[in-house]
């Protein structure tokens, strides 16, 4: 039961970090692309252009696609109606995976009675949409409608070394963790090996990768999360000693919160009565420990 509680606490601690990565990434790409293509509806032309380029490649790899699909504007595969075996047949408009995802977004908005504004579309785009946007089919040094590298510097302004491939690699690994957490599945099962040390090594790397992406886009968000104690909590939860304590492998002493509260109040009263300049008194510090680690230390200054 202790291990189950630890797993729930770990997922709960990872959730806001994963959400922040997703929100900051989509906003950063949207702002960069809107500026690059001079329209907040940049996704319309960018996704259509990628689809137009990909369809001939798909046909070259599998000619039987022409028996089912056509692509408007992409000659010679632009006709909706064709003759096959002496019979007239109407083909289906082929859409790329990213275009299909955009269609799903607009369909959901329509069903929910919401406007199909750029802000709504960006907000409703799933994690997989942005992972696809960072794929190699959106990268070209000669195509003016290619996202990358055209939008690279503006999307990741604080890390000149960040590449489209590196960002895609990081996000692909983060997506696996995100899916487990969002589906309420144990995040620790991603570890290899499935030991406390393995969990620590695997998930510490994932947290580091999320911090790398956030730093590349908006370091202030990383600092905000650090100030909120999120990274310290994750570090504590991923410590093998913490895992062992929750799993019942170590004896856990009860924390006397009433006694701790009395000591802190006593120190506060003494500090308030002291007229001298504040001087740290480390020898009189009060510390709260759990699972072999110090969670909090109160050092009187009087």
């Amino acid at each position: 039961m202790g291990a189950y509680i630890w797993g729930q606490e770990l997922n709960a601690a990872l959730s806001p970090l994963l959400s922040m990565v997703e929100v900051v990434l989509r906003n950063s790409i949207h702002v960069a692309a809107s500026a690059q293509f001079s329209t907040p509806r940049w996704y319309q032309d960018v996704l259509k252009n990628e689809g137009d380029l990909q369809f001939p490649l798909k046909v070259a790899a599998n000619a039987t696609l022409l028996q089912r699909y056509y692509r408007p504007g992409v000659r010679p595969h632009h006709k909706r109606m064709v003759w096959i075996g002496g019979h007239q047949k109407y083909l289906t408009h082929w859409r790329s995976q990213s275009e299909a995802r955009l269609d799903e977004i607009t369909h959901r908005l329509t069903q929910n009675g919401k406007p199909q504004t750029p802000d709504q579309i960006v907000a409703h785009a799933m994690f997989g949409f942005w992972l696809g946007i960072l794929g190699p089919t959106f990268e070209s040094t000669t195509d003016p409608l290619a996202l990358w590298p055209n939008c690279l510097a503006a999307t990741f302004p604080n890390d000149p070394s960040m590449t489209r491939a590196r960002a895609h690699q990081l996000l692909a690994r983060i997506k696996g963790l995100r899916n487990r957490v969002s589906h309420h599945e144990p995040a620790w099962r991603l570890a290899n090996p499935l030991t406390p040390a393995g969990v620590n090594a695997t998930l510490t790397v994932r947290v580091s990768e999320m911090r790398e992406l956030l730093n590349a886009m908006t370091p202030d968000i990383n600092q905000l999360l650090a100030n909120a104690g999120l990274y310290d909590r994750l570090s504590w939860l991923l410590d093998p000693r913490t895992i062992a304590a929750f799993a019942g492998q170590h004896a856990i002493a009860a924390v006397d919160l009433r006694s701790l509260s009395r000591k802190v109040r006593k120190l506060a009263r003494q500090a308030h009565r002291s007229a001298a300049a504040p001087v740290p008194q480390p020898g009189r510090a009060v510390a709260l420990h759990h699972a072999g680690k110090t969670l909090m230390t109160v050092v009187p200054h009087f």
Side-chain angles (χ1 to χ4, degrees):
M1 186 58 70
Y4 175 80
I5 294 172
W6 167 81
Q8 293 294 305
E9 291 294 317
L10 177 61
N11 276 29
L14 286 167
S15 183
L17 177 56
L18 288 162
S19 297
M20 195 62 70
V21 169
E22 184 172 1
V23 171
V24 172
L25 178 68
R26 77 188 186 199
N27 289 347
S28 189
I29 292 177
H30 180 52
V31 170
S34 296
Q36 173 67 28
F37 302 110
S38 302
T39 172
R41 299 184 184 272
W42 56 270
Y43 41 83
Q44 294 177 336
D45 290 338
V46 168
L47 267 60
K48 180 183 182 302
N49 179 67
E50 188 257 356
D52 288 347
L53 295 173
Q54 287 303 303
F55 186 57
L57 299 178
K58 297 290 185 182
V59 169
N62 182 8
T64 62
L65 288 176
L66 294 177
Q67 298 177 14
R68 291 178 290 159
Y69 298 105
Y70 79 105
R71 180 79 181 182
V74 180
R75 295 177 179 271
H77 317 303
H78 62 292
K79 296 181 179 179
R80 184 185 180 191
M81 190 274 291
V82 296
W83 290 88
I84 299 177
H87 299 281
Q88 195 177 51
K89 182 176 181 179
Y90 287 92
L91 305 179
T92 301
H93 181 184
W94 183 87
R95 287 173 171 80
S96 68
Q97 189 175 51
S98 293
E99 287 177 306
R101 285 172 173 156
L102 180 60
D103 289 344
E104 290 173 4
I105 296 167
T106 56
H107 179 67
R108 287 200 310 272
L109 290 174
T110 299
Q111 280 190 321
N112 295 328
K114 296 181 179 180
Q116 296 180 13
T117 62
D119 286 346
Q120 287 286 351
I121 286 175
V122 169
H124 284 79
M126 299 294 189
F127 201 96
F129 177 83
W130 302 109
L131 179 61
I133 285 290
L134 279 164
T137 58
F138 287 93
E139 183 173 47
S140 173
T141 56
T142 57
D143 187 350
L145 284 175
L147 271 176
W148 321 110
N150 290 328
C151 299
L152 196 63
T155 301
F156 305 104
N158 297 288
D159 186 355
S161 69
M162 181 64 72
T163 63
R164 191 275 319 158
R166 173 61 177 167
H168 183 268
Q169 179 188 52
L170 292 174
L171 203 65
R173 290 203 287 260
I174 293 168
K175 183 175 183 287
L177 177 61
R178 180 258 185 195
N179 287 347
R180 294 200 70 86
V181 172
S182 63
H183 296 147
H184 306 289
E185 298 174 358
W188 57 267
R189 286 195 175 275
L190 288 174
N192 185 20
L194 281 173
T195 63
V199 171
N200 175 274
T202 301
L203 294 186
T204 296
V205 169
R206 291 293 174 273
V207 171
S208 177
E209 290 171 341
M210 287 187 276
R211 296 185 74 166
E212 180 182 347
L213 272 177
L214 286 174
N215 267 330
M217 295 180 291
T218 314
D220 287 349
I221 297 295
N222 244 342
Q223 190 59 57
L224 178 66
L225 294 175
N227 291 347
L230 180 65
Y231 295 128
D232 286 340
R233 177 160 180 75
L234 282 168
S235 178
W236 174 71
L237 283 167
L238 291 172
D239 190 311
R241 292 173 296 180
T242 303
I243 301 172
F246 270 97
Q249 297 174 17
H250 291 174
I252 303 176
V255 176
D256 189 343
L257 294 178
R258 293 182 64 184
S259 174
L260 177 63
S261 177
R262 286 195 298 270
K263 291 179 181 178
V264 171
R265 288 199 302 271
K266 181 180 177 181
L267 291 174
R269 287 194 299 270
Q270 291 174 343
H272 181 72
R273 289 195 298 266
S274 176
V279 177
Q281 303 287 338
R284 305 182 65 183
V286 176
L288 175 61
H289 302 279
H290 180 70
K293 297 196 70 175
T294 301
L295 300 184
M296 179 179 69
T297 303
V298 179
V299 181
H301 287 57
F302 54 83

